[in-house]
Structures are given as structure tokens and as C-alpha cells.
């Protein structure tokens, strides 16, 4: 059976690796935090002392790291993956990083004969735990097909966005739009309530009209409208403001590099930044609605 | 059978009145443009020489006018509807006007013993012609029930937003959000394409992800993605930039009056205004994407 | 000697009236708050029981009221100034109100034979106390000349913006721009400091370069740069956030009515609104910089 | 007498080098375009075949290049300046580039024992021709003092912003603010004129009030207000839209990297980008006002 090296066992990586183990895969595990490795170690999950050791015999290398600098370091720098992995290994980076960085790393990998895909996820820690993640993949079609059985054991939906870096780019586009939808929905609901409308009635009407969108229907930011949304529990849990902010930074950087006007995306970025600076960084991103309302609902 | 006065026979009013006639209703018709009246006149559709004459024996007065000033003039001013209608008549204003104006007119009507509802529509001229309009109603529940059989002959969906003016307010909230969705979607698609993604692939991915929304799925602004969207025919027809601009003005006015921050709504308003000033006023509102792309698709 | 009726003795009106008394003028005083009248009453400053009584023998009527609704009420409504003033009296409204309201009141005054000017001020309570206000006047040139000696006893600069309402409009334009300058300056200084620059050095450089502007040079928002700016005293005193917000609302309303894009003005309006909602309403408007920085100056 | 290598003889570099020659300096000249070198060659201005040859005996190396990539290439890459210059040479980069790039290049220079300053300019081609440029310098104080005599022969004002990269950063902050001032001023004037004010009268009033700023007073964007501004000649010449856009991109990048909210700066960036995409790239940046007005001045 294929050997898998899994590198990066944080909030997302750990449950993803656990799902592969549960599915009967054999893994070599590495993280800079030894405790993260120990928690998952077992008969089929062998701890490795370094990234280099983890990838030595691997047929697949999966990485799930916080930022582009970590990914560059792992594959191109001190991690030495490109030097120590088997030439036949397929490299799968699930981190969310700048498309330009993903392209650069993939190019370096190709230059040394490796196949590589970027496969950033959406679905959060809940999706990681329940193996319902969505993977948005950039890279060659045959590389994706080789990766598919593994991805399918960690997630539910797999999209092919294009060549290397395009998985990151598609995620950036989606999440920039999500940031805009959430603020726009918050404004519409706040405006209605400030003018006497009931937020539930208004949400129902918009949900059947041309303003309908994911953030309104699945993740309504107005407290009291949806029983199971973060708004119902003081915006605890969910997808954090600072994670949305990270994605919006990637979007703004891509927009500047490609000279594409994104006025609403840029403003959304700044509003989340202002919101984070006020102390809301760890709250769910739908808490942005509190920036638009007086604390007591007054006008 | 109930007598209906129908006042305002423009692009929207004419097909709405035609659907009532087709359903067997008896109408008295009035418009400031005599030709508009003549086009619809027939055995069951009697021309009236004035609004005053049209409403004299009416059990229902339906108005469909361009702006709040016309509605005020019809009911409170020179139109003299409140003076000449039967006290038992139900007043139904289908115009899209400022919520504050709708409240004021309805209050004046109530002061003289009339029941009145505001029932602005969405669905455009196509919805008016096919009797598939959506009505968003503000006013008392029993008044809405009296109006329902008529509304059902002109449209498909009927929502009850709240008391007088709330129909207008709910429409304002929905359409402000729609304006934001359309620009946000345009930005996300432009950004993806400028970075090498295929607009159709990207639309598919976002459509199954957290960025999904009405403007992406039903009315995609990127040329070539949807065969039947205005983007496929040079942004001809559809819901005009200047109509969206009118609704965004109502939104901004309501936001200022109610002291509600709507940063994305306000920016959307300004971007549509800039777009209109460049000559795009008569085009479909999804043409806003052209503001964000170089003419030849370059970067 | 000419009789002057002075109506509205709040934070601005009281010191303005006091300066006229100090200059030897004879005044009839009225305010809805009797204590405000009593404080100024004296040999040359006669309390009046009503606006109507105050204006009866006046050659000049000066009003300084919080909002347009008060001005309309004073001149056109319950205050009955247009009914009870002498036809030869010159009406001088120093309130800051919507240009459209100023035009409407002035038109009504003209219709009854009165000369009227709008003369909103800038310079704040300090300028009012020290008679260094700036008056921005709208109305006929000869009316302004009749008013000039009085205005000169309350202020230092007198500008003639145009016909009735234009004084208000010019003030709206200036203050919208001021709101933009203050945020833009705050952004530039925050950005520099976040990147290691000294705010005083950076202010000096910009002050001699193309970024120089009133808010940087006279009213620097960065704490520690200017010893006598509100930033040096925790943003106490000065020109309040809620007053700036009021002016920005007038600007946005004028922009919507005249269909003029003002994207930065509209965003400034929303940022001050967000700032006010967070509790900063009573602070000086240069406190907007705190919205852009982490509390501890971190990044 | 000191030898000077001058590299980069474009629209800015050529007149700057000419001023040094006029002041009696001896130069070695290099540009990738041989004609640019030939135009300036003379008894005291020796053509060099390469950057490497130009710097060989130089006591000062001055570079004036279009973008950061050129600067990195010159000093660190193929240009090999750090390898071939004398260790005692002072390196002066006058290009406008990202502060982060300037820091990186200066660090590499320091690592090899060189003193280096960044000295970006403002003042445009006119300032370059007339030796009235402003230099905003980052680097050690003694390095600046060594450079001062040369800078004083090319410009009028010399500011010391801080350590390496801070010259670039201060320029970025100033120019971001300038971009905001110009749009804010354009909005204020457009709003006033749309409401009947005279642009000259309004400019006079604001120029003596709290809205005063460089763009209003020195570079008024409204046609007809200033005889010698680009607005008086169809926005030909001056400081181009695409140059402003380049500076705003540097600002947005710095804001993202330092996590500093700059909502107005980011919106200004997008508005200039939209303006450029409409074909206005080569026009003066004050032409942004045309984005806000109907072509014929209508509403």
C-alpha cells in the first residue's frame, strides 16, 4: 500500500490526517510541534523526526501549513522535501497561500521532475473533522486523478480549477466574494431592522428574491434568525475574522499584481481589518454585522 | 364584479393591467399619455379622462408610477384620489418609491378612512408580461388579503413585509444587496480571469461554494458563461443600470435617515453612478463588470 | 439704532449673541430654554417670551438652530417669523442645514417680501467665543452688505458663495472634503508609523510636499505631533465626530439629490458613522485615526 | 574631483544627469537604450558600455530606474554593481520602488560594506529639468551628508525620512494621501457645481477654509479655475494617471504587508485603476474629476 507523508498537524491538518488513518492508510507524520505528532501516532501512523525523514519513502506528500513562507521553506528551503522525496512521489499542498507562491513552488518541483498539485480546502475545522471538506485543485489532470482517492477520504467535493496555482486563485476569488456577501447581507439586514422590519421576515423575503446568497441562507449574521449560526452563540467558533482577513489580503495582493480593480473586495478587506483591530479577530466573520449596529440596537 | 381603477400604464403598468383584463376583470384606465390608455381600451377596459374620474366607482385603485413625487401628486395633490375615491376602496400602490413617502401617503389615506398597501414589484418587464412578478407588500394583513386575488393575477409570489412602507423598505434592502452582489461577483470573476482562470469553471466552483449568490447563478455578468444572460447579448435588455441606480439612491437615503452604516451599499451606489455617467445608463446592470476590465480583456 | 432679534442661544448662538452685545448692539433674545435667555439678559439684551415677540420690531433676525426642521418651524411654522416680522427686516439664518431646506425657506421669505441670507459658520465654539468665525453666505449681494457689519462683529472672514442656499452648499462641500482629508491624513500617518517612520518627521515631510492639507498642518490627528491639537488631549473638545457626521449626511443627501458621484465622501460618511456607533460620537473628529490603529500601536 | 556613475537616463534621469553635468561634475553614463546615453555624452560625460563599466571607478553611483525589479537587477543581479563598484562608493538610488525592496537591496549593499541611500523624488519632469526636485531620503545621516552636494545640484528640498527604505515609505505615504486629496477635491468641486456653485468661487472659499490642500490650491482639477493647471489644457502633461496608479499600488502593498487599514487609499487606488482602464492612463492624474462628471456637465 502507498506510503503517505503528512506534514503539518494543526487545527486542520490533524483531523485530516486522522481521517486518512481511519480509512486504513499508512502515514508518516511530521510537525514542528512534537506533541501534535504524538497525539496521532499509532500502528499505522509512524512519527518522523523531520520532514526530510517523513518524505523519504512516501508515494504521496501532503502538507497543511499556515502560510506561504512555511510552504516555501518545506519544499524549497530547510525542509528539503524536493531533495529527499522519491522522484515518483506526488506532492499535494493543502495550505492556503498566495497563488504566486504556489506557482513558484510547483515550478521548482516540476523542474526536479515532481508532479505537484495545490489543493486548498474550504469547510473549516468541522469539515476537516467530518471529512466533508471541499478541495479546490490546481495542477495537471492526471496528478489530480492520482490524488483523488486520498482527497475523497478527507473531503466531499473536489473541484479542478486549472493548472498549478489556480486552486489557490479560485479559493481567493470565492473567499473575497464571500467577504463581500457577508458585509452586504449585514448591511441589508441592519438597514431593514433600523427601519422597523423584522430580520427573520426580511431574510425570508430576500432568500426568495434576487438578493439571496450563501451568507444569508446558510450563515445568517443577524442574531435570532438562524438557531445554528454563529450569530446564535455570540459569534463563537466558525470561520474567524482573522482567517477571512488573511484570505482578503491574498485577494488584494493578487488584484494589485494583476492590475484588476476590486473596489468592493478592497473595502471589505479594510472593514475586516478595522473589525479585527477592535478586538474581534478570533470571532466568527459574521460578527462584522456588529460594526454596523449600535450595541443596544439604537440608532 | 369589483371595479378596478388602474393608473399608470407605462412599461410595467401596461402589461400588468393587460393581465387583469385577460383574467376577466373590469378596469377603468388612466395615464397622462392618452395613447397608453387607448392601446389597452376595450369592452372591459374603459378609458378615463382623469385619475379622479377613473377612481370614482372603483373598489380597488392600483397605481404604478415612476417616482414618489407622482404618487404624492396622485393621492394627495392634483390627482385628488383621496378626495374622489369611495371610502371603501382599497388603494394599492405598486410603484417603487421611498419608504418614507409610502408611509406618508398611507398615513394620509388612513386619516381619511382608506385602507392602503404598498406593493412594489420585482421581476421586470418580463415578469410583468408573464404575470410572474413578485410583490413585496407593506400594510395591514386584511388589506393584503383583499388585494391578494388581484396581485395573484399579475404575479407569482406575494410577500408580506410588515406595515405601510415596509414593502418598499424590504425591496430597497433586497435591491441594495443585489447591487452589491453583482459588483462583488464581477470583481471575483474578473480577478480570476486576469489570473488565468476560465470564467465558466470559476463560476461553477463558486456556485457550489460559499460565494454562491443569485447574480452568479442566474444572471452571470461574464460574457460567455450563460447563454441566456444579458452578458450574452451585449448587456441589452434586462434590468437597467439607471433603474438599479434609482433603487440604490433610495437605499442611501434610507441609510442616511436611519443613521445606518452601509459602506458597501454606498460604494455600489457610487460605482453605478460612475458607470451611468460613462453612458451605460440604458444597459443591463450586469454591465458593471465592464468598468472593471480593460476593453480587450487585457490586464 | 437697529433692533436685532437673536433666536437660538445654544453652544454657538450664545457666544455669538454675547459678541453683538459686547459691540453695543441692542438685542431681543429668544430660546426654547428659558435659562439660555436669562444668562444673556441685560440692559441691552431684552428677553422675549416667544420668537414672535422677539422679531416684532426687529430690523435684523438672526437664527442659530440645530437642524433644518427647527429652521422651517421658526420661519414657516409655529414660530411665525414670516408672519410677525417687519417687511423691511433682514433675515439671517446661521444654522447649518440642508441647502434644499435653505432654498425653500428663503423662497417662502422672498414670496412675502423679505430679504434673507443663509450664513452658516465654521470655526466652532472657539471661533464663536473669540469672534473669529468664518461666515459662508448665500443670498443677494445687497442683503449680504446690509448684514456685513453684524457678521463682522461675530466673525473674521465673510465669503459670498452665491444665491440663497449656496452658503450652505459651499459649507457642505468644504466639510465633506475636510472629512476626507482627515481620514486620508490618518491613513498616511498610520501607514508610515506601522512601517517604522516617526510621525513628526513624516508630518514635516508631507507638510512641505504635495500631500499637505489643513488637517495635517493645523489639526494633526497623530498623538504627540502637535502640542495644541485635540490629539494631544485624548481627542477631547474640538469639532465632534457627531457634528462631522451631521455635515457628511448633508453632503450625501446633496450628492444623491444632484446625482453626483462622491465615492470618497460617501465612504468617509460611513467610516464616521461606524466610529460614532463605537461610542466616539462626542470625541473630536480627528479621533477617527484610532479606528485605523491597534489600541497599543501594534500592527 | 569625484567620479559619478549615472545609470538610467529616461524622462527623469536624463535631465537630472544633465544638471550634474551643467554643474561641472564628471559622469560615466549608462542606459539600456544607447541613444539615451549618446544624447548626453560630452567632454565631461563619458558613455559606458555597461553598468559594470560605469561604476568601476565611481565615487558615487546614482540610479534612476522604472521599477524595483530593475533596481534589484542592477545592484544584485546582472548589473553586478555590488561586485564591481569600489567599496568606498556611495550608492544613491533615486527610483521609486517598494520600501521592502529598497530595504532588501540596501541590506545586501551593507553586507558587502557599501553605504547606500534611497532618495526617491517628487516634482516630476519639470522639477527634474529645473533642478527643483524634492528628495526624500532613507539611510544613515552621514551617507546623506556625503550625497547632499550632489542632490542639491539636482533639486531644491532634501528631507531625511529615516533609515534605509524610509525615503520610499515616506514618498508612498505622501503620494497615497495626494491621490486621496485629488479625488476628494474633485468630489467637492463637482458636488458644488452640480448644485449651482461657481467652481472658482467655491475653490476660493475652500482654499481659505479647513478643506484647503495642495491639489486644490496648486493643481486645481476643475477646468477654468487655474490658468496653468493641467485642467486648463485637457489634462495633457503633468503627473500621469498611470504613475499615480503605480504609487498607489506600492501603498496598498505596504498596507497589506503591515496590516494597516487604509480604506480611502484603497478606494483611491481602485478608482484610478478604473480610470486608467477607461483609457486615461497617459493623462494627468487630476483628470480623475472627469470620472465624476457627465461629459456635458449635465446631471
Amino acid at each position: 500500500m502507498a506510503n503517505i507523508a503528512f506534514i503539518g498537524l494543526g487545527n486542520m491538518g490533524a483531523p485530516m490526517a486522522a481521517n486518512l488513518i481511519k480509512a486504513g492508510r499508512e502515514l508518516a507524520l511530521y510537525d514542528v510541534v512534537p506533541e501534535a505528532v504524538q497525539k496521532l501516532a499509532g500502528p499505522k501512523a509512524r512519527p518522523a523526526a523531520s520532514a526530510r525523514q517523513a518524505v523519504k519513502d512516501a508515494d504521496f506528500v501532503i502538507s497543511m501549513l499556515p502560510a506561504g513562507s512555511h510552504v516555501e521553506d518545506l519544499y524549497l528551503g530547510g525542509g528539503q522535501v524536493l531533495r529527499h522525496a522519491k522522484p515518483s512521489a506526488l506532492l499535494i499542498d493543502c495550505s492556503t497561500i498566495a497563488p504566486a507562491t504556489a506557482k513558484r513552488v510547483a515550478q521548482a518541483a516540476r523542474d526536479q521532475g515532481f508532479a505537484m498539485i495545490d489543493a486548498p480546502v474550504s469547510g473549516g475545522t468541522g469539515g476537516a473533522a467530518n471529512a466533508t471538506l471541499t478541495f479546490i485543485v490546481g495542477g495537471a489532470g492526471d496528478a489530480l486523478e492520482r490524488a483523488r482517492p486520498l482527497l475523497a477520504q478527507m473531503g466531499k467535493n473536489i473541484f479542478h480549477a486549472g493548472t498549478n496555482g489556480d486552486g489557490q486563485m479560485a479559493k481567493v476569488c470565492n473567499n473575497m466574494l464571500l467577504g463581500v456577501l457577508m458585509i452586504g447581507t449585514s448591511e441589508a439586514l441592519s438597514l431593514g431592522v433600523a427601519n422597523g422590519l423584522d430580520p427573520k421576515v426580511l431574510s425570508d423575503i430576500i432568500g426568495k428574491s434576487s438578493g439571496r446568497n450563501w451568507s444569508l441562507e446558510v450563515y445568517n449574521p443577524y442574531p435570532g434568525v438562524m438557531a445554528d449560526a454563529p450569530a446564535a452563540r455570540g459569534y463563537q467558533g466558525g470561520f474567524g475574522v482573522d482567517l477571512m482577513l488573511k484570505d482578503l489580503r491574498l485577494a488584494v495582493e493578487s488584484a494589485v499584481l494583476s492590475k484588476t480593480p476590486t473596489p468592493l473586495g478592497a473595502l471589505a478587506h479594510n472593514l475586516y481589518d478595522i473589525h479585527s483591530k477592535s478586538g474581534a479577530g478570533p470571532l466568527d466573520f459574521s460578527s462584522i454585522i456588529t460594526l454596523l449596529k449600535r450595541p443596544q440596537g439604537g440608532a
Side-chain angles (χ1 to χ4, degrees), chain A:
Chain A
M1 185 157 202
N3 275 307
I4 301 168
F6 203 111
I7 297 164
L9 302 164
N11 290 335
M12 292 296 292
M16 290 167 70
N19 279 322
L20 289 176
I21 297 168
K22 206 182 304 173
R25 299 283 183 176
E26 288 189 22
L27 274 65
L29 303 171
Y30 178 69
D31 193 285
V32 291
V33 179
E35 290 73 21
V37 177
Q38 290 313 320
K39 268 194 197 157
L40 285 170
K44 302 210 144 193
R46 174 173 47 88
S50 65
R52 172 182 167 171
Q53 192 196 327
V55 305
K56 212 162 58 87
D57 302 313
D59 302 300
F60 298 92
V61 175
I62 303 177
S63 53
M64 187 56 164
L65 299 168
S69 58
H70 305 102
V71 174
E72 289 195 295
D73 192 58
L74 175 66
Y75 288 95
L76 312 183
Q80 302 196 317
V81 166
L82 294 192
R83 186 173 304 180
H84 294 279
K86 296 195 296 186
S88 62
L90 173 64
L91 312 179
I92 304 171
D93 181 41
C94 296
S95 320
T96 292
I97 65 175
T101 308
K103 280 183 206 295
R104 194 161 55 236
V105 173
Q107 181 61 51
R110 268 201 310 274
D111 289 349
Q112 301 192 28
F114 290 97
M116 182 166 194
I117 62 173
D118 45 293
V121 305
S122 70
T125 52
N130 303 323
T132 56
L133 290 173
T134 293
F135 290 93
I136 310 182
V137 177
D142 56 347
L144 165 55
E145 290 317 312
R146 281 170 63 199
R148 190 181 293 274
L150 272 68
L151 302 183
Q153 289 170 340
M154 296 185 286
K156 209 174 59 173
N157 296 304
I158 300 170
F159 298 118
H160 190 192
T163 61
N164 286 115
D166 290 354
Q168 300 292 352
M169 195 65 226
K171 184 180 174 188
V172 159
C173 292
N174 181 76
N175 283 18
M176 181 182 80
L177 182 49
L178 172 59
V180 168
L181 297 185
M182 184 54 86
I183 303 179
T185 297
S186 296
E187 293 180 10
L189 296 179
S190 297
L191 180 60
V193 171
N195 283 278
L197 298 190
D198 179 281
K200 199 160 170 16
V201 170
L202 180 57
S203 293
D204 286 347
I205 293 174
I206 298 178
K208 289 172 194 143
S209 304
S210 51
R212 72 173 166 76
N213 68 84
W214 187 90
S215 72
L216 179 103
E217 298 169 88
V218 177
Y219 215 89
N220 198 297
Y222 209 97
V225 172
M226 288 180 58
D228 55 351
R233 47 176 196 268
Y235 305 104
Q236 300 300 315
F239 181 55
V241 165
D242 282 346
L243 288 172
M244 172 52 80
L245 191 48
K246 179 195 165 192
D247 289 351
L248 288 168
R249 280 192 192 112
L250 294 176
V252 168
E253 285 176 344
S254 295
V256 168
L257 283 173
S258 64
K259 305 186 179 180
T260 313
T262 55
L264 296 193
L267 181 50
H269 167 237
N270 276 284
L271 292 170
Y272 274 109
D273 208 354
I274 287 170
H275 190 42
S276 172
K277 287 204 183 329
S278 78
L283 297 180
D284 179 74
F285 83 117
S286 63
S287 64
I288 191 79
I289 197 173
T290 61
L291 203 68
L292 311 175
K293 300 192 306 172
R294 280 194 191 283
Q296 309 305 336

